Amino acid sequence: MKVAIVVTTINDPVFLKEYANIDMGGNDVSFIVVGDNKSKNIDQAIKYASNVEVWKPRQQDDWLSENYPAISEKETRMVIPENSPQRRNFGYLRAMQMDADVTIVIDDDNIPSDKHWLVDHLASLKHN
């Protein structure tokens, strides 16, 4: 299963090292780290976990212009405003482009308490 884990952060992305040892259960897991104007050391995200994409605001703007040229900058700012948790909306769009089967959104202060949380989470989806 292809899984995208979307997270926005303005903090140092050191929290991602807590995800480095989670059980992926054989799934293809990618982290989409969405930055904002206040993000600190976001480039460091790639050293804390594997399969990480880091998206700074300017990169997000360029990607949106390339992939959704019919959407005006004003409309984009309504859906993906700066300095807002709604920045995660970019992550949803990127996950769709990646053809993720499942998109999971976490906050940068969500630290996994169990290394099997992802496998357990995905298993609960199969029971519905």
Side-chain angles (χ1 to χ4, degrees):
M1 183 176 298
K2 194 169 203 170
V3 179
I5 300 177
V6 175
V7 60
T8 57
T9 186
I10 61 170
N11 299 310
D12 190 312
V14 69
F15 69 92
L16 281 172
K17 71 180 173 181
E18 301 298 329
Y19 288 88
N21 295 318
I22 65 170
D23 179 6
M24 303 289 182
N27 295 291
D28 179 10
V29 179
S30 297
F31 288 90
I32 303 170
V33 180
V34 182
D36 209 337
N37 296 330
K38 298 176 185 176
S39 295
K40 299 177 185 134
N41 303 320
I42 195 168
D43 289 326
Q44 299 299 310
I46 58 173
K47 78 178 192 180
Y48 297 123
S50 60
N51 300 326
V52 175
E53 291 186 4
V54 175
W55 291 89
K56 294 179 180 179
R58 182 70 193 147
Q59 293 168 313
Q60 296 166 42
D61 292 343
D62 292 345
W63 185 91
L64 288 163
S65 294
E66 183 178 316
N67 290 279
Y68 296 93
I71 300 175
S72 71
E73 184 174 338
K74 180 180 177 184
E75 291 167 321
T76 298
R77 293 291 170 243
M78 289 172 51
V79 176
I80 306 174
E82 294 180 354
N83 302 318
S84 168
Q86 292 171 326
R87 269 281 149 176
R88 75 175 57 94
N89 292 342
F90 173 84
Y92 298 142
L93 293 172
R94 178 65 185 122
M96 286 175 29
Q97 184 189 46
M98 295 169 63
D99 292 326
D101 299 305
V102 174
T103 301
I104 298 171
V105 179
I106 60 173
D107 288 327
D108 61 2
D109 60 352
N110 292 150
I111 306 300
S113 60
D114 178 342
K115 76 175 198 166
H116 302 291
W117 75 268
L118 178 63
V119 173
D120 293 344
H121 185 77
L122 294 174
S124 71
L125 294 174
K126 293 177 184 175
H127 288 60
N128 292 327

